[in-house]
Amino acid sequence: MTSDDPQHPAGHGSLASGVKSDPRSRRLDRLFFRRIWDFCRPYWTRKGGSRSYVLLALLIGLGLAATAAGGMTTLLYKEINNAVVAKDAAGYWGLTLKYIGLGGAVLAATILATFVEGYLKTDWRRWMTARLMDEYLGHRTYYAITLDGDIDNPDQRIQEEVKPVIDAFTGIPSNILNTSMNVTVQVAILATIAMPLLIATLAYCTVNAVLTYFINKPTIKQNWDSTVAEADLRFGLLSVRTNAETIAFYRGENGERVHLTQRLARAIATQWALLRYQAVVSVATSSVGLVWRLLPALLVVPLYFSGQIEFGVIAAATSAAMMINVSVSSFIEFIPMMIKAVPHVVRVAEIREKYATIGTYSQAQHIGHLSRKVRDDVIGFDSFSLSTPGGERTLFSNLSVEVRKGTSLLISGPTGTGKSSVLRAIAGLWNVGHGTVHSPPEDKTVYLPQRPYMVLGSLRQQLLYPCNAQVAPSDEDVVHALREACLEELVQRHPDLSAEADWGRILSLGEQQRIGFARAYLSGAEFVFLDEATSAVDVKTERRLYAQLLSRRITLISVGHRASLYGYHDFVLDLRTDGTGEVMSIERYLAHTSDTPPSQRSAV
């Protein structure tokens, strides 16, 4: 579609840094955990998800096995040290071999658990990303995001934000269970040999968990700001690539350099802020860690000196306390991991919530929104008023139009009157207004914009996009359609229809527009909507392209300024700057248009 309408979505929300952020998105509150639940639930409750539960059970089982082996190694460590003190060589070597065997078993279980966890994460990411892409395309969510401009960089969110969320939360069930079992085993052992050290260890772990939460809480905002700043930088770089030719014509390199440097500066500033605070966190955690190193020396060694315990108990108690601390610490690590995952969770959730909102909205009846009726014999409007998507401006009011099947309508009028918006309303893209829209079934329509979309694929795929035909056309049909669309040279240059290329780059705009017509010929559509679809071709080619459509008895609705278009349509919808419009025959329209030269009037 062209962008001559006011408030056209192409420019709305183009700066990602301008997207407003909800402060609630930077908290670990009920909304955050609801979003986590909404993220995790579909994968684990989907039909045919039993394999994922088998993998999770295997992961938990391996963790429990490692926990049991860890408890046995703690007891063996005590016996080994006592054998050293007693100079029992035979006992020492026998116990050492058992210790090595248990260590090997723990290592094997750990390696296998790492593989299983990686497999589970990869499968979850594959499924979740595919679902997110379905939701992004469903209900035209991608278009609503472009219109509203309230979600930045959806492509980056889909590609990059799913994996960190899965990495953060995949291991939680097994980690909780394994940590609980490991702590229980080691607490039972330590309680029998060094109760003071057990009390001190549990107190230390509790204080460490509380400090970890409060120390890391400020990083929620810092991680959020860093994620958004990096997304803004990527958006700026992507904008340069998308508009490379226009920037080159403007010689706008210096302006783009300044623009990108500003975005880079914001990204670096957020990184520095995060790095400085992480240094503070490291100092705090290291200081707390010094306390841990002193506990065995202060609480257990004096008992050995007083003869209350054996030497091996020192090693066993220290090992048990260490394993308790390691287990609890591995769980505590989920606090900063969860905090770091906040921006990723929110950025994925916002796309899913947008999809759900649009789905709910599309099924509801709202005051101030168009009603729609599907008809295969009429296109038109009853008491039709249309506003821009945000309701900023009413383009026209109380418009009634009826186009019978087999006739054709040209939408004309000054720039800014909403000509292209009429097509958007027919297509269901714009819905803010009043009245009723009569439109044909979607499978019988084709839209030809001023700049057709060139898909990533072969030449055949270009012609068959979006593949709505019930029976796929043969190669002969495709070649014939290309020739009918005045693309004989393209057939000669690329005789292999399976050849893949960057068609949007190698084809001129005129060739791309003719590709659009070839698509219409192959689609078997009964209604074709054209928005400045021949602006880049000459009048002779335009005549041939329209003639092919008319020969198929296709109903046409065109938007355009060229006087040559009058000859291909029966009626004109004349939109005016005061928000009114009138339908009249071509002859009457030309007779009442003062700025139309007499020669063009007589030509029709």
Side-chain angles (χ1 to χ4, degrees):
M1 302 263 173
T2 57
S3 57
D4 64 348
D5 290 322
Q7 308 293 332
H8 186 267
H12 187 70
S14 59
L15 288 177
S17 57
V19 175
K20 295 181 180 180
S21 174
D22 187 348
R24 295 182 304 167
S25 297
R26 299 193 291 268
R27 301 173 187 166
L28 281 178
D29 55 7
R30 186 169 65 177
L31 175 61
F32 170 76
F33 288 104
R34 180 181 64 78
R35 284 169 163 170
I36 285 295
W37 172 248
D38 290 341
F39 181 94
C40 297
R41 178 177 51 81
Y43 178 75
W44 293 101
T45 59
R46 74 193 193 280
K47 185 177 181 180
S50 57
R51 182 178 63 177
S52 299
Y53 281 97
V54 171
L55 293 173
L56 182 61
L58 178 58
L59 192 61
I60 293 174
L62 290 170
L64 294 177
T67 297
M72 296 175 67
T73 56
T74 299
L75 297 175
L76 279 174
Y77 199 44
K78 168 189 172 183
E79 299 299 327
I80 288 172
N81 279 274
N82 285 333
V84 170
V85 173
K87 298 182 179 181
D88 181 6
Y92 170 80
W93 290 113
L95 292 170
T96 299
L97 288 175
K98 291 181 180 179
Y99 187 84
I100 293 173
L102 282 173
V106 171
L107 179 61
T110 302
I111 293 174
L112 183 57
T114 301
F115 175 80
V116 171
E117 184 176 356
Y119 185 92
L120 183 58
K121 287 179 178 179
T122 302
D123 185 68
W124 191 353
R125 182 193 178 192
R126 174 198 59 77
W127 188 89
M128 193 65 209
T129 303
R131 181 184 179 93
L132 196 59
M133 289 190 294
D134 288 341
E135 293 177 347
Y136 181 59
L137 295 173
H139 302 325
R140 292 189 177 129
T141 304
Y142 62 93
Y143 184 73
I145 289 173
T146 303
L147 276 181
D148 299 342
D150 55 356
I151 296 179
D152 65 281
N153 301 289
D155 54 319
Q156 183 195 34
R157 297 182 184 219
I158 295 172
Q159 179 192 359
E160 298 181 5
E161 308 291 8
V162 174
K163 185 176 183 298
V165 180
I166 291 173
D167 288 344
F169 295 99
T170 297
I172 286 183
S174 59
N175 188 279
I176 291 176
L177 182 58
N178 294 338
T179 296
S180 301
M181 293 296 296
N182 197 31
V183 168
T184 301
V185 170
Q186 300 301 330
V187 164
I189 294 173
L190 193 56
T192 61
I193 57 180
M195 182 60 74
L197 182 58
L198 172 61
I199 296 173
T201 298
L202 295 178
Y204 169 82
C205 291
T206 302
V207 172
N208 190 23
V210 173
L211 286 176
T212 298
Y213 172 74
F214 283 104
I215 289 174
N216 284 278
K217 189 176 180 180
T219 63
I220 295 178
K221 183 179 184 303
Q222 294 170 351
N223 279 298
W224 176 269
D225 292 342
S226 178
T227 300
V228 172
E230 293 291 342
D232 284 355
L233 176 59
R234 180 182 182 276
F235 186 85
L237 292 169
L238 180 62
S239 178
V240 173
R241 188 185 73 179
T242 304
N243 303 284
E245 184 174 288
T246 306
I247 293 171
F249 272 123
Y250 275 110
R251 298 181 180 88
E253 294 82 8
N254 290 333
E256 294 301 321
R257 186 178 293 109
V258 171
H259 173 73
L260 292 174
T261 301
Q262 291 173 347
R263 290 179 180 250
L264 175 61
R266 287 196 295 269
I268 296 300
T270 58
Q271 283 292 309
W272 275 119
L274 190 58
L275 185 61
R276 286 192 297 268
Y277 192 78
Q278 285 176 342
V280 173
V281 172
S282 297
V283 171
T285 53
S286 298
S287 300
V288 175
L290 289 175
V291 176
W292 169 252
R293 295 187 182 93
L294 294 174
L295 286 179
L298 295 175
L299 299 175
V300 180
V301 174
L303 297 176
Y304 173 73
F305 288 151
S306 64
Q308 298 181 45
I309 60 173
E310 300 174 324
F311 178 78
V313 173
I314 298 176
T318 302
S319 176
M322 182 66 70
M323 294 184 74
I324 292 173
N325 183 47
V326 168
S327 297
V328 175
S329 296
S330 66
F331 183 72
I332 292 174
E333 286 176 2
F334 275 102
I335 296 175
M337 187 182 300
M338 189 177 298
I339 288 173
K340 190 177 293 185
V342 167
H344 305 296
V345 170
V346 173
R347 289 170 69 79
V348 171
E350 285 177 341
I351 293 180
R352 304 200 65 215
E353 290 163 2
K354 187 76 170 181
Y355 168 79
T357 300
I358 296 171
T360 302
Y361 162 80
S362 64
Q363 296 172 8
Q365 295 295 325
H366 291 268
I367 298 176
H369 287 81
L370 301 173
S371 62
R372 299 185 173 277
K373 292 183 179 180
V374 177
R375 298 181 61 178
D376 58 6
D377 59 341
V378 170
I379 300 174
F381 314 98
D382 293 331
S383 303
F384 177 48
S385 299
L386 183 67
S387 300
T388 52
E392 303 90 348
R393 175 185 169 187
T394 298
L395 300 175
F396 38 78
S397 302
N398 199 29
L399 191 66
S400 294
V401 179
E402 184 177 280
V403 180
R404 290 285 175 180
K405 186 175 182 179
T407 58
S408 56
L409 175 73
L410 176 64
I411 303 174
S412 184
T415 299
T417 53
K419 299 184 297 297
S420 297
S421 299
V422 174
L423 300 190
R424 297 188 187 105
I426 294 173
L429 302 183
W430 284 21
N431 295 284
V432 179
H434 298 275
T436 302
V437 177
H438 302 277
S439 56
E442 292 184 354
D443 60 352
K444 295 183 178 181
T445 63
V446 167
Y447 291 82
L448 302 185
Q450 185 177 25
R451 181 175 290 276
Y453 173 55
M454 296 288 104
V455 300
L456 302 174
S458 66
L459 184 56
R460 180 189 294 105
Q461 289 171 319
Q462 293 296 333
L463 273 296
L464 300 184
Y465 184 82
C467 304
N468 288 331
Q470 295 181 354
V471 179
S474 65
D475 286 356
E476 292 76 13
D477 295 331
V478 171
V479 172
H480 182 66
L482 287 170
R483 289 181 174 142
E484 287 183 322
C486 306
L487 288 169
E488 293 87 350
E489 292 185 2
L490 181 61
V491 175
Q492 295 172 3
R493 294 199 310 266
H494 301 281
D496 183 6
L497 297 178
S498 62
E500 296 189 3
D502 186 357
W503 301 106
R505 181 181 60 84
I506 67 174
L507 297 180
S508 69
L509 179 56
E511 288 175 317
Q512 293 178 37
Q513 290 184 343
R514 282 175 274 168
I515 288 285
F517 276 85
R519 287 173 178 168
Y521 303 156
L522 289 167
S523 67
E526 299 177 16
F527 303 85
V528 175
F529 301 88
L530 305 98
D531 189 1
E532 299 280 7
T534 56
S535 61
V537 302
D538 58 83
V539 174
K540 181 180 178 181
T541 302
E542 177 186 79
R543 184 183 304 117
R544 182 174 171 183
L545 295 174
Y546 265 94
Q548 292 294 340
L549 292 176
L550 293 173
S551 68
R552 290 170 166 80
R553 303 184 63 82
I554 294 174
T555 302
L556 304 180
I557 294 185
S558 301
V559 171
H561 296 88
R562 279 185 175 180
S564 57
L565 294 175
Y566 299 148
Y568 316 124
H569 298 85
D570 303 306
F571 300 94
V572 173
L573 169 58
D574 183 25
L575 296 178
R576 296 157 187 162
T577 55
D578 61 358
T580 62
E582 182 181 0
V583 178
M584 59 188 82
S585 67
I586 288 290
E587 292 79 5
R588 179 167 171 257
Y589 172 75
L590 293 179
H592 288 79
T593 304
S594 60
D595 59 353
T596 303
S599 60
Q600 291 184 1
R601 300 183 196 175
S602 60
V604 179

